[in-house]
Amino acid sequence: MITHRCLHPSLSKPSLSFLSSSSPPFLQDLSFLPTSPSITKPVFVHSVKPLHVKCSSTNLTSQSHPDHAPPISTLKIAIIGLGNYGQFLAKTLVSQGHIVLAHSRSDYSHVAKKLGVSFFLNPHDLCEQHPEVILLCTSIISTEQVLKTLPLQRLKRSTLFVDVLSVKEFARNLLLDALPLDFDIICSHPMFGPQSAKQSWKDLFFVYEKVRIGNESSRVQRCEQFLGIFQSEGCKMVEMSCQEHDKLAAGSQFMTHTVGRVLDMLGLESTPINTKGYETLLDLVENTCRDSFDLYYGLFLYNKSALEMVERLDLAFDALRNELFGRLHHVVRKQFFENGEKVKSVHGSSYQNGAASAFSSNALRSQDVTIPYEFKGKILESVDDSSKLKVAIVGFGNFGQFVAKTLARQGHSVLAYSRTDYRDAAQKLGVSFFSDANDLCEEHPEVILLCTSILSTEKVLKSLPFQRLKRSTLFVDVLSVKEFPRNLFLQLLPPEFDILCTHPMFGPESGKNGWNELPFVFDKVRIGNDERRVARCNSFLDIFAREGCRMVEMTCAEHDWHAAGSQFITHTMGRVLEKLQLESTPINTKGYETLLKLVENTAGDSFELYYGLFMYNVNAMEQLERMDFAFESLKKQLFGRLHGVLRKELFGDSEKLEVLQEKSVRKNGAALSSSPESVKIS
């Protein structure tokens, strides 16, 4: 577990005026750093402007579309740091007709030539070109060092310096300390990158603060011309103080990148039956995987609340894991001691503690079992009388009501039974509700649709009076795991009953705007050969096909291999983030929007569903351990680098360390020469 003084507000923090303003924020809280002369530079405190958000009002107008933006005059812009992000910006700058120069420690001359950029290996040569704007596209960690290497004396006075770092207070203080007073400063943050803005910059946030702009009209105009570059691309221009930016954005960015990197370590891959929630995870990995570790580490090092966020994420994950294992302990006790008797040996069963055996899963798995299901009809509001079914929904909770609404709208006769009295909800939906299972079964429904939780399915199934049903009744489940209900049906149902195992891979939240293109997976486990039973099965499947679902026929084993792992990871990450109580900000990045969407897609599902995915997924425990290992590995990377930073803060440069070591050797040598063992005995 991570512990740090800044995580405990009750502990007073010393005032460390001896640390330079460019030190990482949380390092300024470390009370054990010595007050040596090498780090006695006082903190240069600057006033912070009050928050002023400007999204399409005053100076920068017409931000809804580039066609309405004011014309941009040509600027001579020097990009310092022509890496991934520098090249990304250079491409647009050149396309707009600006003169673009570049300098980088690495030789990007060939890349620059392709982009139409003049490249300079020597910063002196670059500065002698007198660019109007110096655009710093360096990493957060290297910005201070790079800035100190620039020959500022070779630039024109009043040159405009702009940074694009993801943290702003650090950049603001650094530029104010390092630059002469006659240089102009804009601190900016294009809240997008090569991956999230590969199509366009339209409607993406560009945050900025005019930290220091001279009063001359030419300097004011130059500032507006530079901001117009992003405005003309359709960016949402937001003016706010650096302090407010860091409060709103830095934290959410750090959380986004942390989750993205953990998921990237898991090697997530797309499946033929992705849920919306899993798609958001894949999108998040895609949006963050190409960003350098230096960017992520900079967010950690220069974000005051980053360390606290790491601990909160750690605590949330531990809390969720304890909740799972706490329930598991209860189930194990119940298995062994229920009614004072130990249950029968599980060696002859396909399931142990309700989980599918590895042998069962591997024996049935095949790469060629996915069979496309074709439905040539269109999405219709109702069906022909000949296709109408009498469907009994057993389990009329959240999901049962969600499905019933569509069944009733299509004209099917819908009955419902549940242990909880949902009579009022059923009446509103046009559904006949039964509080007694015997009464329901005596209505002779053609289809029994089990919408129970995974955990209660076996108990509910055993309680149904099968003898009151017509022989050959079709039983259908909608559980999120498939091998478990398949084996349960085959074990408990009379052999004359038909069995269809299905999984609508959506729910009330992800399917609230329609089911079009959402995957519906099914396995015709046991369907009678006569024409009436085959037609009934197809009529049931057509309920979902008519709504536009992407119908996928595959074995239950193949479904669980594809879906259970990805679903469990999706729900685990969604529930961890839910415990953090993430909130939307006025300047959300695409990645952070992905996290919020993930929480939204999973928060409406019950814990019973999530626990069922854990309990009845043979890979769930392994997935949990993999996530834990990935998070621990990421923390080691962060704190491994942090150790080097602390050494630098403590010992300064290598010469100072060598002096300390030399003094230590001399002291030890003197002590050795004066020791009793060194005296000769005559």
Side-chain angles (χ1 to χ4, degrees), residues 660-675 678:
L660 290 175
Q661 290 172 339
E662 188 178 26
K663 286 182 179 180
S664 177
V665 170
R666 288 176 183 173
K667 183 177 180 181
N668 290 337
L672 182 63
S673 63
S674 60
S675 65
S678 65

Side-chain angles (χ1 to χ4, degrees), residues 302-335:
Y302 295 97
N303 174 9
K304 294 175 180 177
S305 60
L307 202 57
E308 180 184 358
M309 289 187 171
V310 173
E311 183 168 76
R312 287 180 63 206
L313 193 61
D314 207 5
L315 288 172
F317 185 70
D318 282 345
L320 188 63
R321 187 167 49 184
N322 291 338
E323 199 171 353
L324 283 175
F325 291 156
R327 289 209 178 194
L328 182 61
H329 175 73
H330 172 73
V331 171
V332 171
R333 283 183 59 85
K334 187 176 180 181
Q335 285 277 53

Side-chain angles (χ1 to χ4, degrees), residues 11 42 48 65 70 82 91 112 121 131 133 215 218 241 332 345 371 373 413 471 473 490 496 548 615 646-647 659 681:
L11 299 177
V48 179
H65 196 279
L82 197 64
K91 185 177 180 181
L121 274 173
V133 181
N215 294 326
S218 59
S241 70
V332 171
S345 172
I371 306 169
Y373 176 86
S413 177
R471 291 169 298 172
T473 301
L490 290 171
E496 63 268 17
M615 188 72 176
L646 289 174
R647 283 183 60 84
V659 169
I681 302 175

Side-chain angles (χ1 to χ4, degrees), residues 24-26 139-142 164-168 170 189 191 245-246 248-259 261 288 291-310 589 638 641:
F26 69 79
S139 69
I140 301 173
I141 299 170
S142 64
V164 291
L165 299 189
S166 301
V167 288
K168 298 267 57 83
F170 162 71
H189 183 197
M191 301 191 68
H245 167 278
D246 283 3
L248 292 172
S252 61
Q253 276 194 300
F254 177 72
M255 184 61 67
T256 302
H257 280 265
T258 299
V259 174
R261 286 184 174 274
T288 57
D291 291 321
S292 67
F293 189 84
D294 278 352
L295 167 61
Y296 173 60
Y297 181 65
L299 290 172
F300 170 70
L301 197 60
Y302 295 97
N303 174 9
K304 294 175 180 177
S305 60
L307 202 57
E308 180 184 358
M309 289 187 171
V310 173
T589 60
L638 286 175
R641 287 207 180 190

